[in-house]
Amino acid sequence: MLFQKIMTAVSTVVLSVTAFAVPVFAAGDRLGMAVEKQLGFQPAATEIMEHTTSFHNGLLIVITLITLFVFALLGWIILRYNRKANPVPSKTTHNVLLEVVWTILPIIILVGIGIPSIRLLYFQDTIPEADVVIKVTGHQWYWSYEYPDANGLAFDAIMLPSEYWDSDRSADVQADRDAAIGDIQSMLALAEAPEIFRLLDTDTRLVVPVNQNVKLILTADDVIHAWAIPSFGVKLDAVPGRINELWFNVRETGTYYGQCSELCGVRHAFMPIVVEVVSEEDYQAWLARAGAFYAEASTPSAVRVATAANK
Ligand SMILES: [Cu+2]
């Protein structure tokens, strides 16, 4: 029968699409960034993202079943009750049982979705005891970071210019590019020069220790920005004159990328976020190096004045 053939075809298509979307894809050896031909989310680097991914996958099954059910009902009505197949229509207007079922069933489904959803929201929103606190400020169009517990260590993170990737770049640009890579390498004490990515890499990186609770205090100094790292499962607005908080605890060392996620002006797309997650020893060593390296360069003037007044 034609109807059955159509339904089989449709369910095959929907199910195969779902089957592709459900697994958490391993992104090869590269953590924390989108990869070519990726389907679904980036691999989860925190417990928050792990819960978010499995909640998403569960919901996908629910909405697929509902869609198939509604589609089947539509098909059934179109084929079984068209004018040719059913020339004398029924005059029925009410069916108490049916009406009770189609009210109660959606309520049960919504409550079933709502409970894990609210549980996840609270898990994200409840900030645990923080091991590291960092203040993040959004600007048009870059991010700046302050480590209040590290003698006012503060620096800006500005996107590396796209011309670094031009195939016909001049010797000057190449020299700048090499210097930028060299700075990242020496700040992080990497054995090899890091690979850099156009529109994603910044001149400095936010550095945090692995397996520790990191709390970010977010604000902005001009318009609303949003600080987001997909593989951490965090995305929060940075609002001028307000303080927002988020937390994450990353399980694996590596480089993780994100971008400003609130339309904030013409260069909104050009204020990426790079987080380097390192071991506790590397973190302490970085703090010592960064303290000296960034001290004069970018300590906010208010901190410099306060420090000078205390001397
Ligand atoms: Cu922004």
Side-chain angles (χ1 to χ4, degrees), residues 3-311:
F3 170 57
Q4 272 171 341
K5 272 186 188 158
I6 293 173
M7 288 317 292
T8 316
V10 168
S11 53
T12 312
V13 169
V14 175
L15 286 179
S16 51
V17 169
T18 334
F20 273 112
V22 168
V24 181
F25 272 76
D29 49 1
R30 187 159 291 140
L31 278 166
M33 66 188 300
V35 293
E36 241 176 283
K37 304 204 173 114
Q38 174 188 330
L39 282 173
F41 293 122
Q42 294 178 26
T46 63
E47 209 183 330
I48 296 176
M49 191 56 197
E50 198 161 85
H51 291 324
T52 309
T53 307
S54 54
F55 181 59
H56 165 267
N57 291 347
L59 269 191
L60 200 59
I61 293 169
V62 174
I63 60 172
T64 305
L65 292 177
I66 292 174
T67 311
L68 287 178
F69 176 65
V70 172
F71 202 86
L73 284 182
L74 279 175
W76 179 48
I77 287 160
I78 290 169
L79 295 173
R80 173 70 185 81
Y81 296 102
N82 63 49
R83 197 155 99 182
K84 221 194 271 172
N86 188 38
V88 186
S90 149
K91 293 263 166 65
T92 311
T93 55
H94 289 285
N95 183 317
V96 174
L97 177 68
L98 198 58
E99 285 165 28
V100 168
V101 168
W102 79 38
T103 307
I104 301 289
L105 208 64
I107 292 174
I108 292 172
I109 294 172
L110 283 182
V111 170
I113 291 172
I115 290 170
S117 166
I118 289 170
R119 202 191 290 147
L120 175 58
L121 264 180
Y122 274 96
F123 179 67
Q124 291 179 310
D125 198 47
T126 311
I127 313 257
E129 179 101 25
D131 300 309
V132 176
V133 179
I134 301 164
K135 183 185 168 201
V136 180
T137 310
H139 309 269
Q140 282 177 317
W141 288 272
Y142 61 96
W143 294 97
S144 59
Y145 300 103
E146 289 173 47
Y147 290 67
D149 299 330
N151 294 321
L153 166 63
F155 54 90
D156 301 330
I158 294 163
M159 190 187 78
L160 297 179
S162 282
E163 57 185 12
Y164 285 5
W165 284 265
D166 286 350
S167 50
D168 56 349
R169 54 186 180 261
S170 67
D172 283 352
V173 172
Q174 181 62 41
D176 286 352
R177 179 190 157 110
D178 293 342
I181 294 175
D183 279 349
I184 296 170
Q185 184 179 4
S186 57
M187 270 318 302
L188 298 169
L190 300 172
E192 285 171 33
E195 194 178 351
I196 53 170
F197 298 94
R198 194 176 77 90
L199 303 182
L200 277 182
D201 258 297
T202 52
D203 58 347
T204 61
R205 293 178 177 185
L206 179 66
V207 178
V208 298
V210 72
N211 287 323
Q212 293 196 31
N213 291 334
V214 178
K215 175 163 101 172
L216 295 194
I217 299 173
L218 279 177
T219 189
D221 79 346
D222 34 45
V223 300
I224 303 176
H225 302 268
W227 199 90
I229 299 280
S231 54
F232 293 1
V234 299
K235 175 180 285 180
L236 197 67
D237 276 1
V239 183
R242 288 200 187 191
I243 291 288
N244 274 343
E245 291 181 334
L246 62 81
W247 74 281
F248 52 80
N249 186 326
V250 189
R251 292 169 179 157
E252 257 185 86
T253 58
T255 311
Y256 299 85
Y257 292 91
Q259 286 167 309
C260 178
S261 300
E262 185 70 75
L263 283 172
C264 61
V266 287
R267 290 187 57 78
H268 161 63
F270 308 114
M271 47 184 297
I273 299 157
V274 190
V275 181
E276 193 73 29
V277 178
V278 299
S279 68
E280 171 64 21
E281 305 86 72
D282 287 352
Y283 176 66
Q284 293 302 338
W286 174 82
L287 274 183
R289 275 196 310 276
F293 189 82
Y294 294 131
E296 275 314 302
S298 55
T299 305
S301 53
V303 173
R304 273 203 297 275
V305 171
T307 315
N310 286 336
K311 271 179 189 159

